[in-house]
């Protein structure tokens, strides 16, 4: 029975497969923070403590769903753990950091939430192929996109930011979040069009247009840059797949040199260019924030402050920083800096080792095992790395984007050792078709 089939078959296992599909889609929808946070937010867009408590309630059935599916597929789960030991090692760090955290109860509570999110990533990796996960995201993100567009027409006041700048937030609590998921919608819709096996070209074009509308009206520069990078990466990976072994080496070296050149140019010329254009040269307050964060990182460079313990009201360093910059930054607006704040260099080293290995595995699968549709998952991984240059998405609990990022890394390591052009991986032969 084909793994990539989008139809179900009769039999006693149908109910479980349907449960897996619906459970995964609903879990990603709620973990994306769509609709419910918007309903519970105050008039100024902030979430009170009581609202945050209510938002934790939908996580409970998601955690139960995750535990049940992993128990039913425990051998596959163990296989996924064995094939990439660095992933469980990295996600043990939040628990270990309670030993030196400046706020141990906060660190432990958030580490438990992160653990279940990582377990959900394992569920997605072992129960769905890349093409099946693409379809699941196509439906889930499509629902978010359609609801956002409808909300902007039916209730424009609710669908726009309350600060008066007119930016669209759709069914999300902030315009930047809408921008991130609009960028992912554009990638997923484009991947469906390129794949061509779903028979959903008209729907894909509609959702692509909806994603572009949401992206443009959100005004999120991070999402716009990430989307531009995504299309460049689609071209890069497509060219990589069609090239010979020597040609691939040349393409990779050229792409690395080009990327390094762009990063150096941005570091040297971005601020002067923004000033010349009359734009905010501080990147909406990020530059002065980063300067202060770097000082705090230097003070605890070895182990950090503990997982997500720095950005709390109980931390006098954070309070002092907020007074200096004039706004309560919830994080460093840079995922790499937040890793250093949480775990120091001891956490950054294994993370930095894991990334190039995962990217190499993903590229290899894309070139040698095209039957599973690896293109979009490769692009998604690097796209999220780019997002974290100006946002903090790494190690965020109950966040769909980080769940997908972790899923991609687990999938790469799971399939890479048994990659085959003509056969499915042996551990997956008993899986019921979607």
């Amino acid at each position: 029975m084909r793994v990539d089939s989008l139809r179900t078959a009769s039999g006693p296992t149908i109910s479980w497969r349907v449960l897996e599909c619906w459970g995964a889609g609903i879990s990603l929808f709620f973990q994306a923070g769509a609709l419910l946070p918007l309903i519970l937010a105050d008039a100024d867009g902030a979430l009170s403590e009581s609202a945050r408590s209510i938002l934790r309630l939908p996580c409970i059935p998601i955690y139960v769903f995750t535990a049940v599916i992993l128990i039913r597929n425990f051998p596959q789960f163990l296989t996924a753990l064995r094939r990439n030991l660095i992933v469980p090692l990295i996600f043990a760090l939040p628990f270990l950091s309670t030993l030196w955290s400046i706020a141990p109860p906060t660190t432990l509570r958030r580490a438990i939430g992160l653990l279940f999110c990582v377990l959900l990533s394992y569920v997605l990796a072992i129960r769905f192929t890349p093409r099946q996960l693409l379809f699941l995201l196509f439906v889930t993100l499509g629902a978010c996109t359609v609801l956002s567009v409808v909300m902007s027409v039916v209730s424009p006041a609710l669908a726009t930011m309350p600060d008066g700048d007119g930016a669209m937030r759709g069914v999300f609590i902030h315009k930047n979040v809408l921008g991130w998921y609009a960028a992912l919608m554009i990638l997923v819709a484009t991947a469906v069009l390129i794949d061509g096996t779903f028979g959903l070209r008209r729907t894909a074009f509609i959702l692509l247009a909806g994603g572009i509308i949401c992206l443009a009206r959100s005004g999120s520069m991070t999402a716009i840059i990430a989307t531009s990078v995504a299309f460049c990466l689609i071209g890069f990976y497509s060219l990589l797949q069609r090239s010979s072994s020597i040609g691939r080496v040349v393409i990779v070296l050229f792409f690395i040199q080009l990327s390094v050149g762009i990063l150096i140019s941005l570091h040297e010329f971005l601020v002067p260019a923004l000033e010349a254009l009359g734009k905010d040269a501080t990147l909406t307050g990020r530059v002065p924030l980063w300067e202060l964060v770097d000082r705090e990182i230097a003070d605890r460079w070895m182990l950090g402050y503990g997982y997500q313990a720095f950005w709390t009201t109980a931390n006098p360093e954070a309070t002092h920083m907020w007074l200096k910059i004039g706004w309560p930054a919830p994080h460093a607006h840079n995922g790499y800096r937040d890793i250093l704040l949480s775990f120091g260099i001891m956490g950054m080293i294994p993370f930095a080792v894991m990334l190039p290995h995962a990217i190499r595995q993903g590229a290899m699968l894309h070139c040698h095992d095209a039957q599973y549709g690896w293109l979009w998952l490769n692009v998604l991984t690097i796209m999220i790395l780019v997002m974290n240059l100006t946002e903090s998405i790494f190690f965020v609990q109950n966040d769909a984007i980080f769940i997908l990022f972790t899923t991609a890394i687990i999938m790469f390591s799971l399939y890479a050792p048994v990659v085959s052009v003509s056969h499915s991986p042996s551990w997956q032969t008993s899986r019921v078709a979607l």
Side-chain angles (χ1 to χ4, degrees):
M1 187 178 294
R2 288 184 58 209
V3 176
D4 287 333
S5 173
L6 297 177
R7 301 178 183 272
T8 56
S10 60
T13 59
I14 292 179
S15 59
W16 276 107
R17 188 53 180 165
V18 170
L19 176 64
E20 288 176 349
C21 297
W22 277 97
I26 293 172
S27 297
L28 287 174
F29 181 85
F30 279 107
Q31 298 290 43
L35 205 57
L36 189 57
L38 180 66
I39 295 173
L40 297 174
D42 297 332
D44 59 354
L47 288 171
S48 63
E49 285 303 319
S50 60
R52 293 180 186 276
S53 299
I54 295 173
L55 287 174
R56 295 189 186 104
L57 295 179
C59 295
I60 297 175
I62 294 174
Y63 296 164
V64 172
F65 162 77
T66 300
V68 169
I69 299 302
L70 285 182
I71 291 171
R72 283 182 54 82
N73 299 274
F74 197 67
Q76 293 92 331
F77 175 49
L78 291 179
T79 300
L81 287 175
R82 287 194 299 265
R83 291 196 176 160
N84 193 338
L85 294 176
I86 197 169
V87 171
L89 173 64
I90 288 176
F91 290 107
L93 280 174
F95 290 94
L96 291 174
S97 69
T98 57
L99 299 175
W100 63 82
S101 173
I102 61 175
T106 300
T107 292
L108 180 60
R109 174 172 56 83
R110 294 179 176 178
I112 293 172
L114 180 67
L115 172 63
F116 279 95
C117 292
V118 174
L119 293 178
L120 179 57
S121 296
Y122 277 100
V123 168
L124 296 176
I126 66 178
R127 298 305 300 156
F128 298 90
T129 65
R131 187 171 283 117
Q132 290 172 345
L133 184 59
L134 174 63
F135 179 75
L136 187 69
L137 277 182
F138 183 72
V139 175
T140 305
L141 296 180
C144 295
T145 302
V146 171
L147 287 173
S148 293
V149 174
V150 171
M151 181 74 76
S152 67
V153 175
V154 175
S155 180
L158 186 61
T160 55
M161 290 294 294
D163 55 11
D165 68 351
M168 179 179 171
R169 63 178 179 178
V171 294
F172 298 96
I173 199 169
H174 197 275
K175 63 179 183 180
N176 287 340
V177 182
L178 173 65
W180 303 343
Y181 286 103
L184 295 186
M185 181 74 259
I186 292 172
L187 168 63
V188 168
T190 303
V192 169
L193 290 172
I194 293 174
D195 189 282
T197 61
F198 296 103
L200 298 169
R201 293 184 62 85
R202 183 177 300 177
T203 306
F205 275 119
I206 293 173
L207 293 180
L208 177 62
I212 293 172
I213 291 171
C214 291
L215 178 64
R217 293 194 58 191
S218 72
S220 172
M221 286 306 301
T222 297
I224 292 173
I225 292 172
T227 303
S228 302
V229 170
F231 280 100
C232 294
L233 289 169
I234 289 174
F236 165 73
Y237 278 106
S238 299
L239 185 61
L240 194 69
Q241 188 182 44
R242 296 187 179 98
S243 302
S244 62
S245 56
I246 298 178
R248 287 170 184 162
V249 174
V250 174
I251 292 170
V252 170
L253 290 176
F254 174 78
F255 185 79
I256 292 175
Q257 292 176 354
L258 180 63
S259 301
V260 171
I262 291 174
L263 289 174
I264 293 174
S265 299
L266 287 175
H267 182 269
E268 296 295 329
F269 303 113
L270 179 60
V271 172
L274 290 174
E275 290 176 342
L277 294 172
K279 301 292 184 179
D280 184 3
T282 69
L283 302 179
T284 322
R286 286 172 173 82
V287 174
L289 173 64
W290 291 339
E291 292 174 355
L292 296 174
V293 167
D294 289 343
R295 296 174 192 172
E296 300 299 332
I297 290 173
D299 288 341
R300 293 203 180 197
W301 62 272
M302 180 61 74
L303 296 175
Y305 293 82
Y307 174 60
Q308 291 196 357
F310 184 86
W311 303 104
T312 58
T313 54
N315 180 21
E317 285 83 2
T319 304
H320 182 64
M321 186 181 300
W322 292 335
L323 292 174
K324 275 192 172 183
I325 61 177
W327 56 289
H331 44 69
H333 278 280
N334 182 286
Y336 306 95
R337 285 179 167 91
D338 268 318
I339 291 176
L340 290 170
L341 279 174
S342 291
F343 312 117
I345 197 69
M346 295 302 293
M348 181 58 78
I349 288 175
F351 187 77
V353 170
M354 177 185 70
L355 287 181
H357 182 62
I359 292 172
R360 183 187 66 81
Q361 285 183 325
M364 182 193 70
L365 289 166
H366 172 64
C367 292
H368 299 291
D369 197 28
Q371 63 171 329
Y372 281 103
W374 293 99
L375 173 63
W376 77 275
L377 211 54
N378 278 275
V379 174
L380 174 75
T381 303
I382 301 180
M383 190 178 176
I384 295 174
L385 294 179
V386 172
M387 285 183 175
N388 275 275
L389 293 173
T390 54
E391 298 292 347
S392 289
I393 301 173
F394 295 142
F395 291 91
V396 176
Q397 69 273 19
N398 301 321
D399 182 87
I401 296 180
F402 184 65
I403 290 171
L404 292 172
F405 176 76
T406 310
T407 300
I409 292 174
I410 296 170
M411 268 191 173
F412 293 155
S413 60
L414 187 59
Y415 282 77
V418 288
V419 61
S420 172
V421 174
S422 57
H423 299 285
S424 302
S426 59
W427 64 271
Q428 199 183 23
T429 54
S430 62
R431 178 188 300 175
V432 179
L434 177 63

